[in-house]
Amino acid sequence: SNNFLPLILVCASGGVHMQEGSLSLMQMAKISSAFYDYQSNKKLFYVSILTSPTTGGVTASFGMLGDVIIAEPKAYIAFVGKRVIEQTLNKTIPEGSQATKYLFHKGLFDPIVPRNPLKGVLVD
């Protein structure tokens, strides 16, 4: 078949448990490499949908590689959790700084779309 369909990936999780093993890290690299081939060489369209939570390696890799990145309202999206950031920097980070609305205004992703109208948005 010569059908070239868009890839739609719903991302969730990806925090500390994914980072525990070298196999998990290699899988993220392989997935990211496959997406690069899909987008650049095959010129196909990739949509990433960020649900709650989308953290860690998923945020650092394939979750942010979409041609269009959609986030659910009030999703928790971060590379690392608030507690770890605060302990590392010895600073308090603002409440809500890892929530969809704040990150949208910083340009991290494209639209914020609730689940109910998501199918219609993807079809259009």
Side-chain angles (χ1 to χ4, degrees):
S1 170
N2 288 332
N3 293 333
F4 296 103
L5 300 173
L7 174 64
I8 300 171
L9 183 74
V10 179
C11 301
S13 192
V16 70
H17 299 291
M18 180 175 257
Q19 303 271 344
E20 287 176 353
S22 58
L23 288 177
S24 296
L25 295 172
M26 288 188 289
Q27 287 172 338
M28 287 187 304
K30 282 184 170 185
I31 292 169
S32 297
S33 177
F35 287 167
Y36 176 80
D37 179 58
Y38 190 87
Q39 291 170 290
S40 298
N41 299 332
K42 295 181 178 140
K43 306 288 187 225
L44 298 174
F45 194 68
Y46 165 38
V47 178
S48 177
I49 301 170
L50 309 179
T51 64
S52 191
T54 299
T55 60
V58 173
T59 306
S61 63
F62 55 84
M64 295 297 170
L65 295 176
D67 294 302
V68 173
I69 302 170
I70 298 172
E72 288 189 320
K74 300 181 182 174
Y76 177 71
I77 301 165
F79 176 66
V80 78
K82 180 179 180 185
R83 180 182 49 83
V84 174
I85 293 171
E86 290 179 341
Q87 287 176 350
T88 303
L89 299 178
N90 203 19
K91 283 181 157 181
T92 302
I93 66 167
E95 197 60 43
S97 62
Q98 295 174 313
T100 303
K101 191 174 181 181
Y102 177 84
L103 297 171
F104 173 77
H105 290 293
K106 295 295 182 181
L108 192 64
F109 42 78
D110 301 304
I112 299 171
V113 181
R115 283 191 192 191
N116 288 342
L118 186 58
K119 182 178 178 183
V121 169
L122 291 170
V123 170
D124 290 339

